[in-house]
Amino acid sequence: MEVADLEDVRLAFGPVPSRRLGKSLGINNIPIKTCSYSCVYCQVGKTLNMTTERQYFYKPEDIFKEVERKVVESASRDERIDYLTFVPDGEPTLDINLGKEISLLKQIGIRIAVLTNASLIWRDDVREDLLEADFVSLKVDAVSEGLWRRIDRPHKDLKSNTILKGMTEFAKEFKGTIVSETMLIDGINYGDEFEKVADFLKHLKNLDKVYVAIPTRPPTEKWVKPAKEEIINVAFQVFSKELGADRVEYLIGYEGNAFAFTGRVEEDLLSITAVHPMRREAVKEFLKKADADWNVIERLLFEDKLVELAYEGNAYYMRRLPSFKSKEFYSRITRSMNACLEKS
Ligand code: SF4
């Protein structure tokens, strides 16, 4: 295959703030939209090139030059970059040059992250490439073959078991930070899937954090909606039981902070409950320390900023999910961003 034409391609973007990665400079090493999956919730659009074949897309030197240019630009604005992150418009490990690109980029001296769907991690060459990174996020939406096929709609040659084995193998060898991400959507009967996912994750060596996510932008399939707060809470509780509550966090569209303490009680509560649910007793304790009373919670519930959930006889509080912005909203933002970039 020919190396893709660079015209109109933004190989690097940002830096953008990210709870997981601090300030992250995005690297787009895959042409839109080349993927081994066609997830129902994909926020990049329909998969146009469904493949499991690793290919040459861009010259590693071009990626390096573009990233280096952005790093210099950010430094001139005194803007910090914590990670150079492969987070393309498709699956980053489909790029046959991924390992080479990571080695080149390491010369810049900033940590490297790769957010992958892990579908090719059973391949030795993919694992070898990923071993070069400092941070790898693995997608684990489901471990049961049927549910995985329904949500992620993988290429027909892929098998769930092979991928799970590949992840286990990779986790044994990797020396950096591994996190997992489980995207939850509405209208799916998860049954005991959360228990199964938790059981798989608990055996992944060196797994640092487990993220419970929801789509926060309009998905490819119109019927897809983010899972409801009740389901997200159940997933959180089940994962916490197996992996410890300190290793499980939400990714629900807010940049929360589990350790927030600014002294502004409402703000702090919303920040914490954007990361994980709080049990009623923990909320009471928090309010006592902040010298505040239960009226704060009543007000947040009334204003629909907080939601109360029941699980195994306990009450939990979670930040209300943000509502989807329309596609028009994002195209307006993109248009105005492009206009700014053209002017600069
Ligand atoms: S793996 Fe990522 S890019 Fe590929 S279809 Fe799923 S969400 Fe979209």
Side-chain angles (χ1 to χ4, degrees):
M1 175 170 173
E2 267 181 43
V3 176
D5 196 342
L6 267 190
E7 219 173 296
D8 289 337
V9 174
R10 253 184 236 291
L11 295 177
F13 56 94
V16 290
S18 145
R19 171 142 57 84
R20 285 180 291 182
L21 299 165
K23 277 285 184 84
S24 152
L25 184 82
I27 302 169
N28 193 7
N29 64 326
I30 300 287
I32 195 166
K33 161 80 203 287
T34 303
C35 198
S36 45
Y37 285 180
S38 182
C39 303
V40 292
Y41 59 75
C42 185
Q43 298 162 81
V44 183
K46 279 205 188 314
T47 298
L48 304 169
N49 179 17
M50 166 75 98
T51 182
T52 53
E53 198 191 318
R54 300 193 86 195
Q55 298 164 41
Y56 288 88
F57 296 111
Y58 306 111
K59 291 188 193 141
E61 297 74 21
D62 286 339
I63 292 189
F64 176 78
K65 266 192 242 154
E66 188 54 13
V67 171
E68 194 184 35
R69 190 180 70 77
K70 286 268 185 190
V71 169
V72 171
E73 225 175 72
S74 302
S76 73
R77 291 194 302 263
D78 272 342
E79 206 173 347
R80 182 189 93 229
I81 297 175
D82 299 305
Y83 273 97
L84 305 176
T85 309
F86 286 84
V87 53
D89 294 333
E91 169 48 33
T93 60
L94 282 169
D95 177 2
I96 204 161
N97 285 318
L98 180 65
K100 200 168 170 200
E101 284 149 16
I102 295 177
S103 304
L104 273 175
L105 292 167
K106 277 187 151 180
Q107 296 170 23
I108 297 179
I110 299 177
R111 290 160 65 82
I112 313 274
V114 184
L115 312 189
T116 171
N117 68 15
S119 60
L120 304 180
I121 205 161
W122 46 273
R123 290 178 58 130
D124 294 345
D125 58 345
V126 168
R127 283 202 308 281
E128 267 163 38
D129 286 357
L130 290 174
L131 285 176
E132 296 296 314
D134 300 289
F135 179 108
V136 173
S137 171
L138 305 170
K139 183 191 290 297
V140 187
D141 288 339
V143 295
S144 307
E145 182 90 20
L147 203 55
W148 167 69
R149 289 202 178 279
R150 176 140 188 240
I151 300 170
D152 292 349
R153 301 191 299 193
H155 186 283
K156 60 176 177 21
D157 292 348
L158 293 170
K159 299 268 175 301
S160 172
N161 269 344
T162 321
I163 295 169
L164 298 175
K165 268 191 212 138
M167 286 195 228
T168 307
E169 203 52 44
F170 173 71
K172 278 188 211 151
E173 295 171 72
F174 190 55
K175 300 277 177 289
T177 305
I178 305 181
V179 303
S180 68
E181 187 176 321
T182 302
M183 186 75 93
L184 301 182
I185 56 171
D186 197 20
I188 294 279
N189 181 3
Y190 283 99
D192 60 355
E193 192 65 20
F194 299 147
E195 280 82 1
K196 290 182 183 160
V197 171
D199 189 54
F200 168 72
L201 293 177
K202 97 175 164 198
H203 293 104
L204 263 197
K205 218 171 150 221
N206 299 321
L207 180 67
D208 187 56
K209 280 248 184 299
V210 172
Y211 288 100
V212 176
I214 52 156
T216 52
R217 287 171 161 225
T220 304
E221 301 298 340
K222 285 206 171 58
W223 61 267
V224 173
K225 302 271 176 291
K228 299 212 165 54
E229 284 93 347
E230 289 76 6
I231 297 295
I232 299 169
N233 186 43
V234 171
F236 182 94
Q237 303 300 342
V238 172
F239 290 175
S240 294
K241 212 175 194 172
E242 291 294 342
L243 295 134
D246 54 334
R247 288 166 75 198
V248 189
E249 284 189 15
Y250 292 152
L251 277 183
I252 55 172
Y254 295 114
E255 287 300 313
N257 177 356
F259 307 101
F261 198 78
T262 62
R264 292 185 293 276
V265 186
E266 294 194 4
E267 230 174 85
D268 290 348
L269 273 166
L270 291 176
S271 188
I272 298 168
T273 54
V275 177
H276 59 65
M278 278 176 95
R279 229 166 113 157
R280 188 194 296 265
E281 292 70 23
V283 175
K284 281 186 180 163
E285 193 62 31
F286 182 89
L287 291 171
K288 201 168 143 200
K289 275 195 201 141
D291 210 15
D293 61 27
W294 197 256
N295 284 333
V296 174
I297 303 301
E298 295 295 344
R299 193 162 50 245
L300 290 174
L301 290 170
F302 179 75
E303 289 169 358
D304 212 21
K305 291 180 179 163
L306 205 63
V307 45
E308 187 183 86
L309 306 160
Y311 181 76
E312 290 190 342
N314 289 307
Y316 290 87
Y317 297 85
M318 169 182 173
R319 187 163 180 170
R320 169 70 78 197
L321 297 179
S323 55
F324 263 3
K325 303 268 189 303
S326 65
K327 281 199 170 153
E328 291 69 43
F329 172 85
Y330 286 105
S331 63
R332 258 204 334 269
I333 296 273
T334 312
R335 275 202 303 276
S336 59
M337 270 171 64
N338 287 341
C340 288
L341 287 168
E342 274 157 26
K343 272 186 222 155
S344 61

